[in-house]
């Protein structure tokens, strides 16, 4: 049976080296940053990400009246480690990874998305297989787990790891013991294509990731079969280092909340990512209380990792 690499080995070894090119964030005489750095996880569509982030940082720079740039991390944990070492000030990497950043890097949420005329932009996790697979249900997965392989997307992914892992454990399928093989694909898109190509039997991701690929014509809408869906997950926040001055935090929060009025083109990029009519609203850590309770043991283990 193929073993998981430990979270510490998989995620944190040499992460600091990935961000050495950043150097130190310049500070003013009073210790406040003179420039802000936005950390993002490298996208499967780098051209679209470049276009989107250039517009986001330009807007934020203008609203905050200070230079701002963005840098790419190879995965969620790289961005979190960079925030821990004060090489990244702002990030948005997912709900569970925010909780990790809170535990490891004293991160604080500022805003998240909600529907313009409704509730928060909650989402869900799924476990799926390719359509031509003879796996029809989770009962089949339970019966045949010892001959099946499963791909999670990333160790710090809410929908691609945390929620499906917790569900599998709840039905007696400890991922490290019951499957023939388990692996991290390196991202949602990589996991999806691994399953659709038959390289793994099951993959864990978000339904929106599959729908987005289908809208882009990269996969067929009927090419997969969903076997399980999670309860709703709170939306990914934009979060910052807690040590940032309160005035800067408030300015960032206001810039996002006002994005719909002041930078409609930038807001349309956000909406295009989700194919939803969204706006940003202020949030606090309390939005993630229930999720933190669900993953408390996992977070304790992560927080103890150097």
């Amino acid at each position: 049976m193929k073993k998981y690499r430990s979270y510490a080995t998989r995620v944190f070894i040499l992460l600091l080296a990935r961000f050495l090119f950043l150097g130190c964030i310049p500070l003013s005489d009073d210790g406040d940053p003179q420039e802000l750095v936005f950390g993002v996880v490298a996208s499967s569509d780098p051209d679209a990400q470049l276009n989107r982030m250039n517009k986001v940082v330009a807007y934020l720079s203008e609203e905050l009246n200070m230079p701002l740039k963005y840098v790419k991390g190879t995965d969620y944990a790289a961005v979190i480690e960079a925030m821990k070492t004060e090489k990244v000030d702002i990030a948005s990497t997912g709900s569970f990874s925010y909780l990790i950043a809170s535990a490891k890097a004293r991160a604080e949420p500022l805003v998240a998305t909600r529907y313009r005329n409704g509730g928060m932009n909650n989402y869900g996790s799924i476990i799926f297989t390719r359509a031509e697979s003879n796996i029809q249900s989770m009962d089949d997965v339970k019966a045949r787990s010892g001959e099946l392989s499963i791909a999670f997307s990333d160790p710090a992914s809410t929908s691609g790891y945390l929620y499906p892992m917790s569900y599998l454990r709840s039905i007696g399928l400890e991922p490290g013991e019951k499957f023939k093989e388990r692996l991290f694909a390196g991202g949602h898109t990589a996991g999806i294509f691994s399953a659709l190509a038959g390289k793994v039997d099951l993959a864990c991701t978000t339904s929106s990731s599959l729908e987005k690929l289908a809208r882009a014509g990269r996969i067929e809408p009927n090419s997969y079969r969903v076997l399980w869906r999670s309860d709703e997950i709170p939306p990914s926040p934009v979060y910052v280092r807690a040590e940032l001055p309160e005035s800067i935090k408030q300015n960032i929060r206001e810039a996002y909340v006002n994005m719909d009025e002041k930078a409609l083109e930038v807001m349309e990029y956000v909406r295009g990512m989700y194919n939803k009519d969204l706006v940003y609203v202020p949030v606090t850590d309390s939005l993630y209380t229930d999720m933190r309770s669900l993953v408390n043991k996992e977070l304790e283990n992560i927080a103890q990792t150097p």
Side-chain angles (χ1 to χ4, degrees), residues 17-304:
R18 299 176 186 178
F19 278 87
L20 286 178
F21 71 91
L22 291 176
C24 296
I25 296 171
L27 304 177
S28 63
D29 292 339
D30 59 8
D32 290 348
Q34 293 181 305
E35 177 184 71
L36 296 178
V37 179
F38 199 130
V40 299
V41 178
S43 167
S44 60
D45 189 345
D47 291 338
Q49 184 180 48
L50 175 66
N51 196 7
R52 180 175 68 253
M53 290 307 303
N54 281 344
K55 293 181 184 298
V56 169
V57 299
Y59 167 68
L60 292 176
S61 294
E62 181 176 354
E63 289 297 298
L64 276 71
N65 194 29
M66 66 187 303
L68 189 143
K69 65 180 181 181
Y70 83 94
V71 294
K72 295 181 182 181
T74 53
D75 55 23
Y76 296 106
V79 174
I80 294 169
E81 185 69 8
M83 180 171 283
K84 178 182 176 182
T85 55
E86 300 185 3
K87 291 180 170 62
V88 157
D89 301 292
I90 313 169
S92 181
T93 55
S95 304
F96 179 43
S97 51
Y98 157 66
L99 292 182
I100 297 174
S102 175
K104 299 277 299 182
R106 286 176 44 79
E108 177 182 325
L110 295 183
V111 296
T113 50
R114 70 162 174 81
Y115 293 97
R116 185 195 299 271
N117 297 313
M120 297 302 292
N121 178 32
N122 297 334
Y123 64 107
S125 170
I126 63 172
I127 299 174
F128 78 95
T129 188
R130 62 192 182 281
E132 60 268 28
S133 168
N134 59 7
I135 304 169
Q136 301 293 325
S137 67
M138 287 306 299
D139 287 337
D140 291 340
V141 174
K142 289 185 70 173
R144 298 172 49 197
S145 61
E147 61 188 67
L148 301 178
S149 55
I150 185 168
F152 297 104
S153 65
D154 184 285
S157 171
T158 313
S159 57
Y161 175 60
L162 174 67
Y163 269 68
M165 176 206 60
S166 298
Y167 164 70
L168 290 169
R169 284 178 173 169
S170 75
I171 61 172
L173 293 180
E174 171 60 47
E177 300 172 0
K178 299 296 186 179
F179 289 91
K180 180 182 71 174
E181 182 181 16
R182 57 178 182 173
L183 54 92
F184 288 115
H188 288 282
T189 302
I192 289 168
F193 281 111
S194 292
L196 295 182
K199 295 179 180 179
V200 294
D201 298 298
L202 308 167
C204 306
T205 186
T206 63
S207 55
S208 59
S209 295
L210 285 162
E211 292 161 1
K212 184 176 180 180
L213 290 172
R215 289 196 304 271
R218 298 181 64 186
I219 67 172
E220 293 296 325
N222 59 353
S223 61
Y224 57 90
R225 178 183 303 117
V226 175
L227 304 172
W228 168 81
R229 293 181 185 271
S230 74
D231 293 334
E232 288 191 337
I233 302 169
S236 304
V238 176
Y239 57 89
V240 298
R241 292 192 298 113
E243 293 82 4
L244 284 181
E246 290 300 322
S247 59
I248 291 180
K249 294 179 193 176
Q250 183 59 26
N251 288 341
I252 296 171
R253 184 182 293 111
E254 290 179 357
Y256 271 95
V257 170
N258 294 329
M259 188 181 288
D260 188 38
E261 295 181 1
K262 291 188 173 183
L264 183 58
E265 183 181 4
V266 180
M267 195 69 228
E268 289 301 330
Y269 272 97
V270 176
R271 291 169 179 153
M273 291 171 59
Y274 299 99
N275 196 34
K276 300 174 182 177
D277 188 12
L278 303 174
V279 293
Y280 281 103
V281 294
V283 296
T284 65
D285 184 78
S286 62
L287 181 63
Y288 304 92
T289 298
D290 290 344
M291 178 185 291
R292 183 177 277 110
S293 299
L294 175 69
V295 300
N296 191 51
K297 182 177 180 180
E298 195 79 12
L299 284 172
E300 286 179 0
N301 293 336
I302 293 169
Q304 293 169 6

